[in-house]
Amino acid sequence: MSAIFVQIRCTPGTTYEVAKALVLEEIHSELYSTSGEWDLLMKLYPPEDVDIGQFISENVSKVKGVERTLTTLTFKAF
């Protein structure tokens, strides 16, 4: 199982509400507030047999206040 990182851009003023809602989803391993272009960074380990796009759409993008996501897949380390 490889980690997936999801950067999340929130509607201005909603970052804390988005973070609280994501915590309630209980899908993440770690969740951070970040500086720069993105507001939150989530690390998660989705089930092996899941469609990643659908998983992110159903569990992250649907959260009120999420404007955009950027998903980065990871692979076996060297």
Side-chain angles (χ1 to χ4, degrees):
M1 176 183 338
S2 295
I4 293 177
F5 292 89
V6 182
Q7 295 181 80
I8 303 163
R9 183 175 300 143
C10 303
T11 304
T14 65
T15 302
Y16 287 100
E17 289 80 14
V18 169
K20 288 176 188 176
L22 290 171
V23 166
L24 293 175
E25 292 290 324
E26 297 183 354
I27 61 167
H28 68 285
S29 169
E30 300 169 47
L31 180 63
Y32 298 98
S33 175
T34 59
S35 62
E37 190 174 338
W38 301 91
D39 301 303
L40 298 169
L41 174 65
M42 181 183 342
K43 180 180 181 183
L44 54 102
Y45 295 90
E48 292 284 334
D49 61 341
V50 73
D51 177 291
I52 300 302
Q54 185 175 358
F55 185 83
I56 297 301
S57 178
E58 291 176 355
N59 295 285
V60 179
S61 298
K62 73 167 188 167
V63 172
K64 184 178 180 181
V66 172
E67 279 191 353
R68 186 172 179 188
T69 62
L70 175 65
T71 303
T72 302
L73 306 178
T74 63
F75 305 99
K76 184 178 177 183
F78 296 97

